[in-house]
C-alpha cells in the first residue's frame, strides 16, 4: 500500500509543477512597468519624476487596492540614484503594474501634479 501512496503523491506533485510552469509562462508574457517608467511615457521630465513620483505612486497603489479588493501589486527592486552615504545608490522595493492596468490612469488622474499629463494623453477624441 505505501507504493500506491508515493506514486499518487509523485503524480500530484508533477501535475502541480506543470501547472506552475504554465502559469509562470503566462505571467511573464505581460509587460510590467514601474511608476517612474510610466511617468516617463506620459512625458514628465526626470526632475519632476524624482520630485513627484513617490506621491504619484501612492495614488496609483491606492487606486490599485481599491480595484483589486485590497491586494497589493507585485514588487520588484530598483537601485536609487547615488546620494550621501550611498555612492552607488541603494536597492529599494517598488511596485510594478501591467502596462494596461487602469490603476495607472486612475491614480495619475487623481494626483494634481500628474493629472494634466494623463488628461492630455487620454483625452476623448472629439
Amino acid at each position: 500500500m505505501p507504493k500506491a501512496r508515493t506514486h499518487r503523491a509523485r503524480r500530484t506533485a508533477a501535475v502541480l509543477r506543470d501547472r506552475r510552469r504554465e502559469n509562470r509562462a503566462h505571467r511573464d508574457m505581460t509587460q510590467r512597468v514601474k511608476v517612474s517608467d510610466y511617468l516617463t511615457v506620459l512625458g514628465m521630465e526626470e526632475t519632476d519624476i524624482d520630485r513627484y513620483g513617490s506621491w504619484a505612486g501612492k495614488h496609483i497603489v491606492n487606486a490599485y487596492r481599491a480595484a483589486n479588493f485590497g491586494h497589493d501589486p507585485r514588487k520588484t527592486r530598483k537601485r536609487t540614484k547615488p546620494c550621501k552615504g550611498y555612492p552607488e545608490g541603494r536597492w529599494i522595493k517598488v511596485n510594478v503594474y501591467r502596462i494596461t492596468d487602469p490603476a495607472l490612469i486612475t491614480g495619475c488622474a487623481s494626483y494634481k501634479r500628474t493629472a494634466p499629463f494623463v488628461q492630455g494623453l487620454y483625452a476623448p477624441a472629439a
Side-chain angles (χ1 to χ4, degrees):
M1 203 61 136
K3 288 184 180 183
R5 287 182 187 166
T6 54
H7 177 68
R8 192 175 336 144
R10 285 181 185 161
R11 189 177 66 219
T12 304
V15 167
L16 287 175
R17 190 172 42 249
D18 292 341
R19 195 177 301 162
R20 284 189 197 117
R21 188 176 301 130
E22 290 171 7
N23 288 340
R24 191 178 311 121
H26 175 70
R27 182 189 68 216
D28 293 341
M29 284 187 337
T30 58
Q31 180 184 5
R32 297 191 184 268
V33 294
K34 298 178 276 216
V35 172
S36 58
D37 298 337
Y38 184 70
L39 294 176
T40 303
V41 169
L42 288 180
M44 284 187 80
E45 296 180 14
E46 189 175 345
T47 56
D48 290 339
I49 293 172
D50 292 341
R51 185 178 299 157
Y52 306 122
S54 176
W55 283 100
K58 290 177 185 183
H59 284 265
I60 292 170
V61 77
N62 286 337
Y64 184 89
R65 286 180 184 140
N68 294 296
F69 306 104
H71 293 284
D72 286 334
R74 290 187 178 270
K75 301 230 183 247
T76 189
R77 292 174 28 149
K78 170 185 170 183
R79 187 183 288 270
T80 61
K81 293 183 178 180
C83 59
K84 184 177 180 182
Y86 297 98
E88 286 103 30
R90 59 190 180 101
W91 288 99
I92 59 171
K93 288 183 180 177
V94 295
N95 297 319
V96 288
Y97 306 89
R98 286 193 177 105
I99 192 71
T100 58
D101 200 335
L104 289 168
I105 299 167
T106 307
C108 285
S110 68
Y111 182 46
K112 68 179 183 178
R113 302 286 184 179
T114 57
F117 294 97
V118 176
Q119 291 168 356
L121 188 64
Y122 295 102

